Amino acid sequence: MNKEQIFQTDKEYYMPVFARYQIVLSHGEGPYVYDIDGKKYIDFLAGIAVNVLGHAHPALTAAVAQQAGKLIHCSNLYYTEEQAKLAKSLAELSGLDKVFLANSGAEANEGAIKLARKYGKTVSADKYEIITAEHGFHGRTMATLTATAQPKYQQGYEPLPGGFKYVPYNDINALTEQVSEKTCAVILEPIQGEGGVNTPDDNYIDQVRALCDKYGALLIFDEIQTGIGRTGKMFAYQHSNTKPDIVTLAKGLGGGVPIGAFIASNKVAQAFAPGDHGSTFGGNPLACAAANAVLGVIAEQNLLQNVETVAKYMLDELTKLQNKYPQIISQVRGKGLMLGVKLTKPGRDIVNACMEQGAIINCTAGDVLRFVPPLNITKAHVDEVITILDKVMAIA
Ligand SMILES: *Cc1c(COP(=O)(O)O)cnc(C)c1O
């Protein structure tokens, strides 16, 4: 099929839920992707924070190919070495104890919500309330879209599951007012991704932890976007001394192969007994082999250090752009390779112009350019994108 035929076929046969950009991607290599006409793009969206090793990474490709030739799936009625190995790695890396593997971010959060509810019941029948933050994003299943305190994701799907409350993000007083003995969990992103790369004050997360401890509420970090090295630590909460009771992962974990996870302390995980939760595909050996390869490469190539170095450079370069175009850029924010550029106007035109110039970037929350590139990029790759942004902003 040519491009026009693909657009037409999609229009005729795919559910009309995506506002897609008008390109058809075909293959990639490292931080580059190519469309079906052979045009090359530098990819600083990376499948929305998914392709942490870039595209077609040899170690990931080999791990997936080898595992596919051995055993793709076998049901959780049986053990596999790949799954056991991944569970051990995730427990050790997070400082938590017990892992459950799912297939996506929404499923990871859905499972974490179920576990929190079960745990709450072991304390009291009334301990079921879940508090989340405005402008957060937690997924699109019924429970996770209810946890997502943004009307645009909820409208039309009522009645929503009960027991959810919302507070403004980065506002400890608002949370103090809402939290009570009925609170079973507070769910937060350490940095809000979809909501606009919203980065809280330094002490907010520690204050939330203290409040949760006071009321016996669980603290759940949704690290689906911030996890797996994105901010320069394996988990964003590792920038401080605060540890959650449950953390959820997905996006970067499989380097592009669908996988999600939630990890809990022993105290919380013991609320689950055989039969309480499950998944047909979750934790299958193919996805686990991919995740094991991703974690292996991050460790062997010291990618957390690379994130620190390249992110500092990119932040400086974006700040220079802000100084050059103060009428377009009002703020540069974020941590590690999760950077946001707040614009003074909607960002879609800039994203389209960058695409035209050969750079794939993203705009979220309407007016925030979001950069979530592969973790193994170099300063030279940053320069490529900055040059294109500079060119685009000069005429914007
Ligand atoms: C992407 C995302 C999700 C949802 O993940 P899916 O795999 O799309 O279900 C949940 N929480 C956060 C923070 C995310 O960025």
Side-chain angles (χ1 to χ4, degrees), residues 71-332:
L71 188 67
I72 291 177
H73 174 80
C74 70
S75 157
N76 281 305
L77 292 172
Y78 311 99
Y79 299 90
T80 65
E81 184 180 351
E82 292 298 329
Q83 188 185 95
K85 198 177 153 200
L86 179 59
K88 180 171 190 273
S89 298
L90 290 177
E92 287 174 356
L93 289 166
S94 64
L96 293 165
D97 303 307
K98 294 280 194 294
V99 175
F100 182 89
L101 296 168
N103 306 288
S104 69
E107 264 185 60
N109 283 338
E110 186 83 21
I113 290 167
K114 287 176 68 180
L115 177 58
R117 284 271 170 89
K118 266 265 170 180
Y119 173 80
K121 296 291 189 311
T122 67
V123 180
S124 123
D126 287 337
K127 201 169 183 62
Y128 59 83
E129 279 183 359
I130 292 173
I131 303 178
T132 67
E134 290 166 12
H135 304 293
F137 183 79
H138 301 295
R140 293 167 178 278
T141 62
M142 287 303 288
T144 60
L145 74 84
T146 305
T148 297
Q150 300 193 56
K152 69 173 175 178
Y153 294 105
Q154 300 179 342
Q155 272 160 10
Y157 298 114
E158 304 85 355
L160 303 179
F164 287 82
K165 285 184 158 182
Y166 311 125
V167 293
Y169 190 61
N170 195 28
D171 181 342
I172 197 67
N173 294 330
L175 186 63
T176 307
E177 269 175 37
Q178 291 294 329
V179 75
S180 74
E181 295 295 339
K182 287 176 77 174
T183 310
C184 87
V186 174
I187 309 178
L188 291 176
E189 295 159 82
I191 296 173
Q192 291 186 327
E194 302 302 304
V197 195
N198 303 320
T199 313
D201 297 340
D202 279 343
N203 56 0
Y204 175 64
I205 296 290
D206 293 343
Q207 290 172 318
V208 173
R209 176 74 269 180
L211 210 49
C212 286
D213 289 343
K214 185 171 167 197
Y215 290 93
L218 301 180
L219 178 55
I220 302 176
F221 282 147
D222 178 344
E223 293 236 23
I224 287 164
Q225 193 158 152
T226 53
I228 312 298
R230 175 62 48 199
T231 69
K233 302 275 186 197
M234 189 54 77
F235 296 84
Y237 64 78
Q238 291 168 338
H239 289 284
S240 78
N241 292 322
T242 292
K243 215 165 81 176
D245 301 286
I246 306 176
V247 65
T248 61
L249 290 173
K251 295 203 162 86
L253 178 56
V257 176
I259 185 168
F262 60 99
I263 317 170
S265 65
N266 275 326
K267 179 187 89 170
V268 176
Q270 70 182 7
F272 268 171
D276 283 350
H277 194 52
S279 171
T280 297
F281 290 133
N284 68 76
L286 185 75
C288 290
N292 285 325
V294 167
L295 296 179
V297 172
I298 289 175
E300 283 153 26
Q301 302 189 353
N302 208 359
L303 290 187
L304 298 183
Q305 183 56 52
N306 189 61
V307 170
E308 289 251 328
T309 314
V310 177
K312 188 182 175 309
Y313 179 74
M314 183 158 179
L315 193 69
D316 286 348
E317 291 302 305
L318 289 172
T319 305
K320 283 185 206 161
L321 272 190
Q322 181 188 6
N323 294 334
K324 190 166 173 187
Y325 303 106
Q327 77 284 9
I328 303 178
I329 300 178
S330 61
Q331 197 191 18
V332 177

Side-chain angles (χ1 to χ4, degrees), residues 307-373:
V307 170
E308 289 251 328
T309 314
V310 177
K312 188 182 175 309
Y313 179 74
M314 183 158 179
L315 193 69
D316 286 348
E317 291 302 305
L318 289 172
T319 305
K320 283 185 206 161
L321 272 190
Q322 181 188 6
N323 294 334
K324 190 166 173 187
Y325 303 106
Q327 77 284 9
I328 303 178
I329 300 178
S330 61
Q331 197 191 18
V332 177
R333 62 199 186 203
K335 201 175 237 169
L337 286 175
M338 180 171 176
L339 295 172
V341 167
K342 173 94 170 152
L343 304 172
T344 56
K345 56 182 180 181
R348 201 170 164 98
D349 288 348
I350 290 181
V351 170
N352 271 315
C354 285
M355 212 169 69
E356 195 69 26
Q357 297 287 334
I360 291 186
I361 63 165
N362 170 250
C363 175
T364 191
D367 60 1
V368 180
L369 300 182
R370 172 176 46 173
F371 303 91
V372 281

